[in-house]
Amino acid sequence: MTKRRAPKPIRDAVLGACVALAAAASPSLAEGVERGVVERGPVRIEVLAQGSGPAVVLLPSLARGAEDFDQLAALIAAAGFRVIRPEPRGIGGSAGPVEGLTLYDLAADAALAIEADAGGRVAPVIVAGHAFGNWVARALSAIRPELVRGVVLLAASIGTEIDPGIRASINGSFDPALPEAERLRHLQRGYFAPGNDARVWLTGWHPAVARMQRAATAATPDRSWQRVADRVPVLYVAAVEDTIAPLPTLARLQQELGPRVTLAEVARAGHALLPEQPEATAAALIRFARELPQ
């Protein structure tokens, strides 16, 4: 990525190269990852954490879990950050009621993980949400502003209507009744840029979690939480070949999210983004995090 001054899109080749070097030199992705469970009433949230330094919280996409961030988390931790990954309800060791939820309930699950990792202190974090996770990140910044000092939206929809054919591919991607070859075609069409290997996402889907998350989104009664950049600095990381959340202009982002938003474009990536371009994605997030006031 080639650097431009904010608020224009950020394309930082130097930082990207540094992150790539860190990836080559880093140990196993699983090394140094702490796993624990935090509880509040009937809710249990499994949390993966690694590294030390200012905290970055990673929230996964629809029907998917924390493992999607394995590469990204290792790169961010190697750059000097504490990375916290709460699993959504219904994945891993996370459990709790799945009926009658709103996005605010899912945001409260993330808050539970943040507070537990901070040991009861109020220590504001950067929260990054991938695709569906962006809704939870924005909701968290609205209901618990004292916990959030910056938000990163990764391949996030910002009000654009999704083409019905692409929506069919989203649903087909994790439909266990479909043959693998058909699911692969849906994954390639909906999530991956041409030439990138969609097979890496054949596994890792949780259809029951998708139903819960979609119901929670539909049940969230207002949309005031969406303009997150009215409250905190926001980085929008756009996948240039995203068919679900097409590349927006900075003006469109400011209209939808608020004035405190910058844009980073990641080439050769679709909506999946994380398995396609982990180094470039990490580079954009790390740069944003380092430029925020402590």
Side-chain angles (χ1 to χ4, degrees):
M1 297 188 293
T2 303
K3 182 179 177 183
R4 298 182 187 176
R5 291 184 179 273
K8 293 181 180 180
I10 300 167
R11 301 168 184 256
D12 195 338
V14 174
L15 183 56
C18 292
V19 172
L21 288 173
S26 65
S28 165
L29 296 179
E31 188 172 324
V33 177
E34 309 155 25
R35 289 179 178 267
V37 174
V38 295
E39 301 183 13
R40 179 177 294 155
V43 176
R44 292 169 47 88
I45 301 298
E46 182 178 10
V47 183
L48 285 67
Q50 64 201 100
S52 60
V56 177
V57 178
L58 303 177
L59 305 175
S61 182
L62 183 81
R64 298 193 63 84
E67 67 179 0
D68 278 357
F69 290 110
D70 281 353
Q71 291 176 286
L72 195 68
L75 293 168
I76 297 169
F81 294 88
R82 175 74 168 169
V83 183
I84 303 167
R85 292 184 279 163
E87 288 280 22
R89 297 188 193 190
I91 299 178
S94 292
V98 295
E99 302 290 338
L101 303 177
T102 69
L103 285 175
Y104 300 134
D105 295 301
L106 305 185
D109 293 348
L112 178 61
I114 294 167
E115 291 173 318
D117 195 78
R121 296 178 296 110
V122 176
V125 305
I126 296 167
V127 58
H130 175 222
F132 170 81
N134 103 88
W135 304 114
V136 182
R138 287 198 252 176
L140 175 64
S141 76
I143 64 169
R144 297 297 305 274
E146 76 281 8
L147 294 181
V148 179
R149 66 187 185 97
V151 172
V152 180
L153 307 179
L154 304 169
S157 299
I158 55 164
T160 304
E161 288 295 322
I162 299 174
D163 178 271
I166 297 298
R167 186 171 292 281
S169 284
I170 294 172
N171 294 333
S173 296
F174 55 86
D175 184 348
L178 296 180
E180 181 177 293
E182 186 173 350
R183 288 186 56 226
L184 187 60
R185 286 194 295 272
H186 285 306
L187 280 167
Q188 190 67 63
R189 182 186 186 198
Y191 289 96
F192 286 78
N196 292 342
D197 185 7
R199 291 184 180 276
V200 296
W201 264 24
L202 277 171
T203 60
W205 293 97
H206 301 264
V209 174
R211 291 191 291 273
M212 175 270 287
Q213 291 170 330
R214 284 173 165 170
T217 304
T220 305
D222 66 81
R223 292 291 183 266
S224 61
W225 50 270
Q226 290 194 2
R227 286 183 59 85
V228 63
D230 285 335
R231 300 183 292 275
V232 294
V234 173
L235 172 66
Y236 183 99
V237 180
V240 170
E241 299 183 68
D242 194 333
T243 59
I244 295 173
L247 178 65
T249 63
L250 182 60
R252 175 67 190 282
L253 289 174
Q254 291 173 334
Q255 177 186 355
E256 295 289 337
L257 301 175
R260 303 171 67 186
V261 59
T262 54
L263 170 64
E265 298 175 12
V266 177
R268 298 183 299 280
H271 200 62
L273 180 61
L274 307 178
E276 296 177 284
Q277 299 294 342
E279 290 88 0
T281 304
L285 193 155
I286 291 165
R287 179 183 177 87
F288 173 75
R290 286 177 172 164
E291 291 181 346
L292 284 181
Q294 296 295 322

